[in-house]
Amino acid sequence: MIQRDSLARLTLDTLPFNIAVLDEEGTILFTNRAWNEFAGVGPQERDELVGVNYFEQTDADADEYAAQALEGLQAVVEGERDIFTLEYPCHSPEEKRWFLMRAAPLPEHDEGSVVVAHIDITQRKLAELRARRQRRELEHLMSRIDGLVRDVMEAVLQADSREEIEQTVCERLHSVDPYVCAWVSQVDLRTETLSPTAAACETFPDEAELALGTDDPVVRAAETGEPQAIQDTADARVADIHRTTLLDEPGAIAAFPLVYSETSYGVLTVAATERDAFDERELAVLNVLARAASVAINAIEGRRILTTDSVVEVELGITDDGLFFGDLSAAFECTLIYEGSLYEEDGSVVMLFVVDGADPEDVAAAAREHADVTDVTVVSGGDGEGVVEFAVSDPPIVSELAERGAETTAIVAETGQVRITLELPASADPRSVIEQLSERYPSTDLLLTSRQQLALQKAYLGGFFDWPRSISGEDLAESMDISPSTYHQHLRAAEKKVLASLFEE
């Protein structure tokens, strides 16, 4: 017999579950503290529930859960079931709640026939509902963009030009609901703006530049190298270009930097007419697409420089400390001339330099103390000149330029002054290379190359700037044994540098 002060009763009162003991007729013999509190019965009135018939209080006609509960309890009482469980909702106007009902028979020697427990499982049910909703959202997301991912990957790998990659990505994104616009922009350092280079939109403005330094998601993506999003343009001040691409309706905007290693190729922007269109999963998938496009663009730019004579020759000057060949040339007041690199099987790189004006052995000894040099070998030397191999884990400047699609054709370090000659695809902006290198080497500056100087000198002396002209660009190109387009690139680059030095003073 269950006594008020029994250990069993005290134990049941400590449990957070609603527990009651019923006899074979369904009459309540005992309720614990949690049951009474849920029923609104205080400690002084806790016996009020004893003697109430639980079966009669359960309205089987009220809902299907009540009918199932009554049927299950009676089956346990009659010995037809060893245990009965039922999950059911018990919502109030203030909150949603769910409970697990569990009924089991008592031993024959104990007073009562069945013990009933109601366990609050609200948190578990809410978690299940969240997981179910997230699964539906993920299925919806994948149904929308699974084909998109496949299409974009195939398209960018088959593209023959950067322009084709950008336009293909935009068109594929635009074909997916609810995206109404996808466009790519690149930084124009001359105007300090982001300017569109490809777009696929319902509507797109004629004037679409965005000024650098402004509080805009596209600008922030370009400047930080991180994806940016505005989930509801109705709650934000956005540029006119975004309102136009969204058809003057509220929506969402996401911007993804097109970056490979440290090289920036612009920003991919996607506009959707649904608010909160870009959750974390969708942003992650679109960012992967942007990175895939960046890798493809980098490969295209690198391949272009190897297959075309339409390249721009650029010469850079660097005086910063830290470049081992510059530091060594300053320490020994000598000249180091780059002859090329050898890539070893272990991943290290050997850079070959001709040393002029210093003992190669002395230069090698000093190089072994430099942080960037892992090993040094004097290949030949004598009388203040020789050839020295410098092993490095990552060739400075050369690897950085290669990642930007540039080929290093010459490096000369003379008493601390480093001159680097490189070739870029005709579509590349030399200023962007300078800007990126300047982050690591602040003294980086654009110099007039020997080819550019020769092109300018031939044009001036030959009468190209006279009116009427005494010689054509084609004739000047032939005299330098290069194509007319390459000659004009050299000439324009030289003109720009000369004018820049004049007007920037």
Side-chain angles (χ1 to χ4, degrees), residues 75-91:
V76 172
V77 169
E78 295 170 4
E80 296 176 359
R81 300 185 64 165
D82 293 332
I83 193 168
F84 170 72
T85 60
L86 174 67
E87 293 185 6
Y88 65 94
C90 185
H91 305 324

Side-chain angles (χ1 to χ4, degrees), residues 447-498:
L447 306 176
L448 199 63
T449 69
S450 58
R451 305 270 300 170
Q452 292 163 357
Q453 183 173 348
L454 179 60
L456 186 60
Q457 187 176 25
K458 279 180 172 285
Y460 179 75
L461 296 177
F464 182 78
F465 298 113
D466 295 342
W467 185 258
R469 286 177 176 170
S470 303
I471 192 170
S472 68
E474 288 74 12
D475 292 335
L476 292 170
E478 185 178 355
S479 73
M480 293 180 63
D481 195 26
I482 57 178
S483 68
S485 62
T486 300
Y487 174 79
H488 284 292
Q489 288 165 7
H490 288 318
L491 182 60
R492 283 196 297 271
E495 291 171 337
K496 183 177 179 181
K497 293 175 188 177
V498 171

Side-chain angles (χ1 to χ4, degrees), residues 34 58 111 138 168 184 197 214 227 260 277 307 323 329 342 344 371 377 413 445 462 466:
T58 303
E111 182 179 2
L138 181 59
T168 298
V184 173
T197 56
T214 57
Y260 177 80
T307 59
L323 292 169
S329 72
L342 302 174
E344 303 291 350
T377 302
D445 195 14
D466 295 342

Side-chain angles (χ1 to χ4, degrees), residues 88-153:
Y88 65 94
C90 185
H91 305 324
S92 70
E94 294 78 21
E95 62 178 334
K96 291 185 177 295
R97 296 177 300 185
W98 287 265
F99 287 85
L100 168 64
M101 177 182 179
R102 181 183 176 89
L106 287 170
E108 294 182 0
H109 61 270
D110 286 339
E111 182 179 2
S113 179
V114 62
V115 58
V116 182
H118 295 267
I119 304 167
D120 190 337
I121 58 171
T122 300
Q123 295 304 314
R124 194 200 82 197
K125 294 295 289 187
L126 290 174
E128 290 175 354
L129 290 174
R130 285 194 296 270
R132 194 175 301 125
R133 183 176 65 252
Q134 291 172 352
R135 185 165 56 252
R136 286 198 301 269
E137 291 173 351
L138 181 59
E139 289 172 354
H140 176 63
L141 169 65
M142 295 311 299
S143 67
R144 287 196 301 110
I145 65 177
D146 182 45
L148 169 68
V149 173
R150 192 166 49 249
D151 289 347
V152 170
M153 293 296 189

Side-chain angles (χ1 to χ4, degrees), residues 43-84:
Q44 304 301 322
E45 300 86 22
R46 63 183 302 165
D47 289 336
E48 290 184 5
L49 297 177
V50 175
V52 174
N53 191 286
Y54 189 72
F55 293 169
E56 295 176 358
Q57 295 297 315
T58 303
D59 187 358
D61 297 327
D63 60 64
E64 59 175 315
Y65 294 105
Q68 293 178 40
L70 184 57
E71 181 181 350
L73 285 171
Q74 290 173 338
V76 172
V77 169
E78 295 170 4
E80 296 176 359
R81 300 185 64 165
D82 293 332
I83 193 168
F84 170 72

Side-chain angles (χ1 to χ4, degrees), residues 345-368:
E345 293 182 357
D346 61 0
S348 64
V349 181
V350 175
M351 301 182 72
L352 281 75
F353 280 86
V354 172
V355 177
D356 185 18
D359 187 328
E361 293 290 350
D362 294 339
V363 173
R368 293 186 180 94

